[in-house]
Amino acid sequence: MKRPRILVIGSFMMDLVVRAPRAPQEGETIIGTSFGRFPGGKGANQAVAAARLGAAVTMAGKLGDDVFGDQMLSALKQEGVCTEHVRRDPEASTGIGSIVLDDQGKNRIVVVPGANLKYNLEDLAALEPQIADHDVIMLQLEMTLELVTAAAKLGRKYGVPVVLNPAPAQDLPADLLRAVAYLTPNETEAQLLTGIPVVDVASARRAAAQLLERGPQAVVITLGEKGALLATKEKTVHVPGFAVQPVDTVAAGDAFNGALATKIAQGAALEEAVRFANAVGAITVTRPGAIPALPTAVEVAEFLREVETA
Ligand code: ADP
């Protein structure tokens, strides 16, 4: 099978994780127990997910001209992701998530998107000559909606299918939905987009039918442990998830999207692509963290072999 070429136009966030016995009160200083820095952001996570599965991935987006930006670039390069089209903003900081995690496992998070929101139409215009060299474009919603919409339209202009993961949840303009080939909301996002409470396979079917009317060729609603619902104009199928013991569900959606895009870019049948993405999502929830949890193609093949012989 040929090596799929994927272009991710998306976000970077450096997660700064402080562990402390409890969160501080207003005006209070307390002593924490550990600190860690973890490269992430939906764009970067999905880029690494696809790269580990064997795709040739190019990532475009914006970092600050700061040390977190440098660290993000080296983390991506280490994964074999092409960073040639990543831009740096001289003024804005690299996107960060500041996370206080207490001993009860509760968290308090402040996200500063910073440079992610500075990736603009001019940057996108500079990327335009590269678009047609890719099999799939992946987008999420951690950049401006104006930019995401323009990027999806460029995909359409060059006949490169766009996978839009509409996360974090927000309403979408009609022209964006029309430019997208594959829309991949989770239950919460599907509910926000349609007004239909998505709580099971039956309600997901209704939400997917409504979303299909609005333009995408296919809608894939991820359903956590229940797997995913795949809907096209021809048919709607529930593709069940794999039974695993979850330890940390962070990045399950990013893993799923990276896997789905990789399979689509390889020309796989959609149902097979969704099943593969379910396997990648399932493996990811059995491991802690975001990027460290993402499996390689060899690990997924092993997982599927074990499931099939069980
Ligand atoms: P998000 O992380 O965006 O909320 P989901 O929770 O729907 O998205 O998870 C994405 C995918 O990851 C699911 O469609 C499924 O394939 C897989 N997944 C998530 N949670 C589990 C789980 N507990 N067991 C097995 N697979 C899971």
Side-chain angles (χ1 to χ4, degrees):
M1 215 176 266
K2 77 183 169 86
R3 188 152 186 231
R5 295 160 305 173
I6 294 180
L7 174 62
V8 180
I9 307 175
S11 59
F12 309 93
M13 300 279 182
M14 187 62 85
D15 284 342
L16 309 174
V17 183
V18 169
R19 279 178 188 270
R22 59 178 178 80
Q25 308 289 315
E26 186 178 330
E28 189 190 18
T29 300
I30 61 170
I31 305 297
T33 49
S34 72
F35 172 71
R37 265 186 344 248
F38 303 95
K42 292 181 192 300
N45 288 347
Q46 294 184 16
V48 173
R52 289 217 180 136
L53 297 171
V57 181
T58 296
M59 171 115 195
K62 209 166 239 187
L63 293 165
D65 197 5
D66 50 24
V67 65
F68 292 152
D70 295 342
Q71 288 165 347
M72 189 69 77
L73 277 184
S74 48
L76 286 172
K77 282 184 191 153
Q78 212 178 317
E79 298 289 340
V81 172
C82 168
T83 57
E84 215 179 296
H85 301 286
V86 174
R87 300 204 151 191
R88 308 291 291 259
D89 189 283
E91 277 140 33
S93 62
T94 293
I96 61 113
S98 171
I99 301 160
V100 176
L101 200 59
D102 71 20
D103 279 352
Q104 276 73 54
K106 299 245 178 346
N107 57 36
R108 277 150 212 252
I109 304 178
V110 179
V111 169
V112 181
N116 291 303
L117 300 183
K118 297 291 179 121
Y119 190 86
N120 57 31
L121 296 178
E122 232 170 87
D123 299 316
L124 190 64
L127 186 68
E128 184 169 346
Q130 320 301 322
I131 302 272
D133 294 340
H134 295 89
D135 301 308
V136 165
I137 297 175
M138 298 180 75
L139 303 172
Q140 316 79 27
L141 301 178
E142 287 182 334
M143 296 171 118
T144 66
L145 264 186
E146 179 191 41
L147 190 281
V148 173
T149 304
K153 286 180 178 172
L154 270 187
R156 169 156 274 204
K157 174 174 169 188
Y158 291 98
V160 182
V162 170
V163 177
L164 173 64
N165 176 218
Q170 58 181 291
D171 216 355
L172 298 178
D175 55 341
L176 172 54
L177 278 171
R178 275 197 300 272
V180 162
Y182 304 92
L183 184 71
T184 62
N186 66 11
E187 289 161 299
T188 317
E189 291 143 10
Q191 175 161 343
L192 185 135
L193 289 170
T194 61
I196 297 171
V198 178
V199 291
D200 53 17
V201 174
S203 50
R205 275 178 187 269
R206 290 195 294 278
Q210 197 214 92
L211 289 168
L212 271 181
E213 298 276 303
R214 288 152 74 181
Q217 259 173 55
V219 173
V220 180
I221 302 182
T222 64
L223 304 168
E225 62 183 19
K226 295 190 292 296
L229 183 90
L230 162 65
T232 64
K233 298 215 163 50
E234 290 73 41
K235 62 174 180 178
T236 299
V237 280
H238 172 221
V239 185
F242 294 92
V244 292
Q245 285 295 331
V247 303
D248 174 1
T249 59
V250 166
D254 292 333
F256 183 98
N257 276 277
L260 184 75
T262 300
K263 280 287 168 187
I264 289 171
Q266 281 173 343
L270 259 186
E271 209 171 320
E272 183 199 329
V274 173
R275 182 169 185 271
F276 179 81
N278 275 338
V280 173
I283 297 169
T284 303
V285 302
T286 63
R287 302 169 173 181
I291 285 181
L294 301 169
T296 62
V298 170
E299 290 169 334
V300 184
E302 214 162 89
F303 174 87
L304 286 171
R305 226 180 0 255
E306 273 170 27
V307 172
E308 274 145 26
T309 55

